[in-house]
């Protein structure tokens, strides 16, 4: 059996790395890896860390390209790849432009598609944008749906997907987290040591991330106002790896660059992020992946989004939706800093770290 695994961004690479490793462990599978490089630098960091060398690298990242331009280029380039490779299955992940366009290109050629992290929904096509529609499009095309949770499974059932085409697996991000923690112990990143040494140990650490398109503009201004308020009202250190997109980077550095206890740093490699997640007291983020990683580390996440397709963590108390209102973010952050929440790591609603093997075993029976 020949499987072509396709992804293009850092979050996809993290979550697909254990799937790649699981495929490679089966001699009966001819495994091929194709990256679109929708993200470049951040993708390469993850590939290096997990020691994955793509067989095909389309290198499609261009500065300020529109979603339509990127979509067109992915379909055009993937057409040639799929014709040349002739895989039995194409595996894609989640909700990116790479996922939906690769799935569409495979469908046009009659190639079966497996959708990893299928079934997450907000049913608001503008939040998250464009991810909600990317995920739904991929879901209409897929021949196999690997749902990370019961809620995701229920969404697929309600949409009329055949029961035999859906498998609840847990989320591969937990597999990746467990792999990543083991690898980080073997090669402990010096940059992480440097960062933590620069922080005052008696102060509580807040980790911040942000990259969502729907938060560009006013959303990021509100986040910055909140972080300024928190930095002034509580004895904390805030560390913020700032996304490279100018819509994020320019605003954040202008608003926060002058505050001594807010540390703006470039995007960090995956093992460094794991170390920061482990060291922090509280997380403020619009990242879906972090919402899934944090429960394994017993950390609370304030989700700076209007909606979430990951309600399991919110319902179990690992996360709270706070939107992008500066006052709301400030109030909830100060509350959790003053009333730390004890979270049981073993209660992670996103799985126990065996999702990748479940996915491959399912495909081998088809």
């Amino acid at each position: 059996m020949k499987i072509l695994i396709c992804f293009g961004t850092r979050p996809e690479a993290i979550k697909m790395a254990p799937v790649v490793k699981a495929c490679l462990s089966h001699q009966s599978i001819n495994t091929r890896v194709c990256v679109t490089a929708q993200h470049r630098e951040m993708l390469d960091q993850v590939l290096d860390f997990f020691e994955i060398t793509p067989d095909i690298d389309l290198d499609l990242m261009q500065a300020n390209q529109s979603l339509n331009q990127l979509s067109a280029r992915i379909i055009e380039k993937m057409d040639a790849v799929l014709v040349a490779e002739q895989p039995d299955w194409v595996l894609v992940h989640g909700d990116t432009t790479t996922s939906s366009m690769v799935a569409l290109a495979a469908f046009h050629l009659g190639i079966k598609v497996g959708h990893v992290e299928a079934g997450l929904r907000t049913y608001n096509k503008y939040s998250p944008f464009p991810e909600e529609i990317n995920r739904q499009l991929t879901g209409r095309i897929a021949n196999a749906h690997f749902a990370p949770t019961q809620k995701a499974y229920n969404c697929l059932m309600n949409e009329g997907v055949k029961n035999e085409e859906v498998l609840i697996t847990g989320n591969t991000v937990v597999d990746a987290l467990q792999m990543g923690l083991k690898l980080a112990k073997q090669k402990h990143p010096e940059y992480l040591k440097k960062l933590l040494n620069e922080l005052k140990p008696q102060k509580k650490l807040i980790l911040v991330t942000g990259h969502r398109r729907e938060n560009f503009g006013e959303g990021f201004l509100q986040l910055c106002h909140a972080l300024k308020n928190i930095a002034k009202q509580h004895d904390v250190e805030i560390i913020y790896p700032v996304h490279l997109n100018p819509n994020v980077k320019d605003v954040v550095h202008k608003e926060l660059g002058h505050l001594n206890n807010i540390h703006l740093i470039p995007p960090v490699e995956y093992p460094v992020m794991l170390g920061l997640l482990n060291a922090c007291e509280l997380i403020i983020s619009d990242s879906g992946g972090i919402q899934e990683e944090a429960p394994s580390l017993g950390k609370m996440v304030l989700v700076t989004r209007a909606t979430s397709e990951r309600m399991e963590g919110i319902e179990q108390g690992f996360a709270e939706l706070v939107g992008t209102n500066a006052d709301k973010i400030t109030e909830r952050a100060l509350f959790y800093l003053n009333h730390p929440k004890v979270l049981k790591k073993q209660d992670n609603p996103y799985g126990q770290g065996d999702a990748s093997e479940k996915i491959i075993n399912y495909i081998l029976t088809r």
Side-chain angles (χ1 to χ4, degrees):
M1 178 180 288
K2 188 174 187 179
I3 298 178
L4 181 66
I5 302 174
C6 298
F7 50 90
T9 67
R10 169 194 164 116
E12 286 172 285
I14 291 169
K15 293 181 176 184
M16 288 299 252
V19 179
V20 172
K21 298 295 187 182
C23 273
L24 291 171
S25 71
H26 288 266
Q27 293 184 348
S28 60
I29 299 175
N30 178 3
T31 305
R32 301 278 286 171
V33 176
C34 173
V35 296
T36 64
Q38 178 182 333
H39 294 170
R40 181 76 270 174
E41 289 179 36
M42 293 186 286
L43 170 70
D44 290 343
Q45 291 172 2
V46 177
L47 293 173
D48 290 343
F49 178 65
F50 284 108
E51 297 180 345
I52 294 172
T53 302
D55 301 288
I56 303 155
D57 188 336
L58 300 181
D59 196 24
L60 294 182
M61 181 176 175
Q62 290 185 359
N64 298 317
Q65 65 184 334
S66 71
L67 290 173
N68 284 335
Q69 289 170 332
L70 175 61
S71 299
R73 297 178 74 220
I74 291 172
I75 291 180
E76 179 184 8
K77 295 296 183 182
M78 282 305 304
D79 184 65
V81 169
L82 293 167
V83 169
E85 293 290 327
Q86 291 293 307
D88 298 294
W89 283 89
V90 171
L91 295 186
V92 297
H93 183 280
D95 58 12
T96 67
T97 302
T98 289
S99 301
S100 56
M101 293 302 103
V102 169
L104 183 59
F107 169 72
H108 286 160
L109 295 172
I111 298 168
K112 289 186 289 187
V113 174
H115 188 195
V116 179
E117 199 184 82
L120 279 67
R121 298 287 188 270
T122 65
Y123 294 110
N124 177 345
K125 63 185 177 182
Y126 298 111
S127 178
F129 175 85
E131 288 87 357
E132 174 70 12
I133 290 301
N134 284 341
R135 199 184 292 272
Q136 290 196 36
L137 285 173
T138 307
R140 301 314 302 165
I141 292 167
N143 304 88
H145 308 254
F146 302 112
T149 65
Q150 184 68 46
K151 279 185 178 294
Y153 172 88
N154 293 344
C155 287
L156 293 166
M157 290 297 98
N158 291 337
E159 293 169 12
V161 177
K162 295 177 182 177
N163 182 65
E164 62 270 23
E165 293 181 351
V166 184
L167 179 69
I168 300 176
T169 60
N171 199 300
T172 60
V173 77
V174 181
D175 306 29
L177 179 73
Q178 293 177 0
M179 288 173 55
L181 290 172
K182 289 178 183 176
L183 285 170
K185 285 182 180 177
Q186 297 169 16
K187 40 185 178 182
H188 193 65
E190 290 299 319
Y191 184 52
L192 175 63
K193 293 180 187 176
K194 178 177 179 292
L195 285 175
L196 295 178
N197 286 337
E198 289 174 356
L199 303 175
K200 295 178 181 177
Q202 72 275 18
K203 291 190 176 184
K204 292 181 177 180
L205 176 63
I206 299 175
L207 174 64
V208 179
T209 75
H211 70 281
R212 291 284 179 190
R213 286 176 179 267
E214 66 264 30
N215 287 344
F216 288 176
E218 184 61 25
F220 275 101
L221 280 173
Q222 287 287 312
L223 173 63
C224 290
H225 294 333
L227 296 178
K228 280 190 268 190
N229 292 338
I230 296 163
K232 291 174 182 176
Q233 294 179 41
H234 205 286
D235 196 26
V236 294
E237 298 266 22
I238 298 173
I239 193 161
Y240 187 168
V242 182
H243 199 280
L244 298 175
N245 190 307
N247 292 292
V248 180
K249 184 179 177 182
D250 293 351
V251 173
V252 169
H253 278 274
K254 179 182 177 182
E255 296 292 324
L256 303 176
H258 60 286
L259 293 168
N260 292 331
N261 59 337
I262 297 182
H263 308 272
L264 305 179
I265 61 174
V268 295
E269 297 180 2
Y270 183 56
V272 177
M273 179 59 76
L274 290 180
L276 293 175
L277 286 167
N278 215 13
C280 72
E281 182 79 19
L282 179 68
I283 303 164
I284 301 175
S285 177
D286 62 13
S287 164
I290 284 179
Q291 290 177 63
E292 296 154 344
E293 290 166 328
S296 289
L297 299 169
K299 304 297 180 177
M300 183 70 189
V301 185
L302 297 183
V303 183
T304 53
R305 293 170 55 182
T307 59
S308 177
E309 63 278 59
R310 294 168 173 87
M311 292 302 296
E312 296 88 351
I314 292 167
E315 290 171 1
Q316 289 188 213
F318 284 97
E320 182 177 327
L321 274 178
V322 293
T324 55
N325 177 276
D327 293 337
K328 178 70 176 291
I329 298 168
T330 303
E331 187 270 321
R332 298 314 292 163
L334 293 176
F335 174 83
Y336 285 113
L337 289 169
N338 291 321
H339 305 87
K341 193 168 186 177
V342 178
L343 302 170
K344 296 180 180 178
K345 301 176 186 179
Q346 65 269 26
D347 293 336
N348 187 350
Y350 301 111
Q352 301 304 316
D354 56 356
S356 301
E357 199 59 40
K358 288 178 180 177
I359 289 166
I360 301 310
N361 289 337
Y362 177 95
I363 288 178
L364 286 172
T365 66
R366 293 305 186 264

